Each structure stands twice: as C-alpha cells, then as structure tokens.
Amino acid sequence: IQLTQSPSSLSASVGDRVTITCRASQGISNYLAWYQQRPGKAPKLLIYAASALQSGVPSRFSGSGSGTDFTLTISSLQPEDFATYYCQQVNNYPLTFGGGTKVEIK
Amino acid sequence: QVQLVESGGGLVKPGGSLRLSCAASGFTFSDYYMTWIRQAPGKGLEWVSHISNSGHTIYYADSVKGRFTVSRDNAKNSLYLQMESLRAEDTAVYFCARRGSYNSNWNFFDYWGQGTLVTVSS
C-alpha cells in the first residue's frame, strides 16, 4: 500500500494552523498512524487509529480521516513543532510510510 | 521508563555482514512485538522486519528478504538483526521500535531507540 503525503514541505509561522494530507493507494479503514521526527532524533508517535492522540502528545495535534484520505492538523504551530511528519499504514504487510512532510519556519 | 538502545552499527564493505542489537528495558520485553525500521541519509522511513513476542511470527520487507534475519532473546531482553550480503543501498540509520498495541491489526510503534548507523562502502 503506497502512502502519498502532501505537501512534501511547507513554511509556516508560529501560531499558524497547519494541515498535512496522507493519501493511501487503497482503502485502509482507520489503520493509520502519524509520527513527528526532529533532526537527528528518532520518530515520535503522535496519532494512531487515524485520530487517537498518543498519551503525552499536546492536544493541538489532531488526526482525521478514513479509507484513503487522512489529515494531520496542528491547530497552533509552536517552535518545537518544526520537524518532519510521517504517516504510516499499520495493518498490511509490508508496513509502509509516507514520504514525509517537512514543516519549516517562515 | 521504557528504553531501547541499539548497537552494532559501523562501516562494512559491500557483500559483508553485520549484526545489530537492541537492548530493551523498562517494560516486559516478552509481551511485545518488536520491529526494525531504517532511514537512509536524508530519506524517509522504511520498515525492515517485524517479530512476534514469542519469535515464532516474522515478517520482512522484500528489499531485505533472504539477506537479513531478525531474532530475539527474551531472557536477555534483546532484539537482533543479522545482516548478510550488504549493499550500498542498505546504508541507513537502523531503529528498533516497540509495537504499541497487543492487537496484531495495529502495528504502530510507541517507543523507538536512538538508532545505529550502518554504512556499506568500499
């Protein structure tokens, strides 16, 4: 299953609302997770089951979608949110990730 | 607290072998599926292999099938990746990660190690 993220990069300011899209090549119900990766660090789980917030993750992060189209939204971008974000389908082998969306400072 | 610490990376020539280890602590290792995920320099994430808590169920990406072998030692709280016939395209940071759910339908990863770099070059 191929996952296509868009955009591949974006520039935004602190306080902005940011939306990242992930499209699956076939329906995956809600079997999707989102991760954040800061430079030089391991990925961090943000969202699972398309919309469930992982424990300890700030509530400004939210996920939605089902089937083939999913979104990750950051309601008010904070300085520590500048990172690369990846979606992952979690139910079919081989497990696959999207290509990533880099969120940069405007 | 949950900790995953990878080791064993380094520089190896094409065709060579390497064994990665992942030492786990802070949780009951034998209860969890574990996985290896890699990231080539400047690239995205690629799932490599997945092993059940008992070690009896194993999956591989096509790109490594027949060359890599995943295993675990629950008595030592350790995960391993034996890599053979290494190629330049295997150059990457290799992360071990814990599956965040007991349900086999939900293969997302809630804890990751810091990664170990494998460089395949002559």
Side-chain angles (χ1 to χ4, degrees):
Chain A
I1 296 175
Q2 291 187 336
L3 298 178
T4 303
Q5 287 184 234
S6 61
S8 56
S9 65
L10 65 90
S11 295
S13 300
V14 172
D16 283 353
R17 181 181 182 89
V18 169
T19 298
I20 298 167
T21 297
C22 178
R23 176 163 288 175
S25 59
Q26 64 189 69
I28 56 171
S29 184
N30 66 334
Y31 290 112
L32 191 95
W34 290 97
Y35 300 87
Q36 175 194 68
Q37 187 179 32
R38 297 188 177 109
K41 300 295 187 182
K44 173 187 174 183
L45 177 67
L46 299 176
I47 302 278
Y48 61 94
S51 61
L53 195 67
Q54 173 68 356
S55 175
V57 173
S59 58
R60 63 181 179 273
F61 291 93
S62 63
S64 65
S66 184
T68 59
D69 294 314
F70 302 87
T71 59
L72 173 70
T73 299
I74 310 171
S75 60
S76 178
L77 200 64
Q78 298 301 301
E80 60 268 30
D81 301 336
F82 292 96
T84 300
Y85 295 83
Y86 294 93
C87 57
Q88 180 220 341
Q89 63 86 11
V90 305
N91 183 242
N92 289 274
Y93 288 96
L95 305 176
T96 48
F97 291 86
T101 295
K102 186 174 184 179
V103 177
E104 299 176 301
I105 301 172
K106 183 182 283 185
Chain B
Q1 71 282 19
V2 173
Q3 273 200 310
L4 298 169
V5 180
E6 301 94 337
S7 60
L11 176 64
V12 60
K13 290 182 167 56
S17 302
L18 211 56
R19 188 195 197 206
L20 306 184
S21 299
C22 172
S25 60
F27 65 102
T28 304
F29 182 70
S30 57
D31 283 350
Y32 288 85
Y33 278 52
M34 298 294 295
T35 202
W36 288 99
I37 291 162
R38 68 185 182 183
Q39 186 170 37
K43 302 297 185 183
L45 300 168
E46 180 189 15
W47 169 78
V48 172
S49 182
H50 202 58
I51 184 169
S52 65
N53 54 328
S54 66
H56 293 154
T57 301
I58 288 173
Y59 298 94
Y60 294 102
D62 285 346
S63 58
V64 306
K65 201 174 294 183
R67 301 187 300 121
F68 289 11
T69 303
V70 65
S71 62
R72 64 190 296 161
D73 185 337
N74 287 341
K76 295 183 177 180
N77 292 335
S78 291
L79 174 72
Y80 305 102
L81 187 67
Q82 179 68 42
M83 303 185 294
E84 308 280 351
S85 303
L86 282 162
R87 306 166 180 166
E89 54 265 36
D90 296 318
T91 294
V93 173
Y94 285 73
F95 297 100
C96 67
R98 187 184 85 167
R99 190 176 80 178
S101 170
Y102 291 123
N103 186 319
S104 61
N105 288 322
W106 296 100
N107 298 289
F108 58 85
F109 308 109
D110 61 349
Y111 287 94
W112 298 59
Q114 83 288 349
T116 188
L117 176 62
V118 172
T119 303
V120 184
S121 175
S122 54

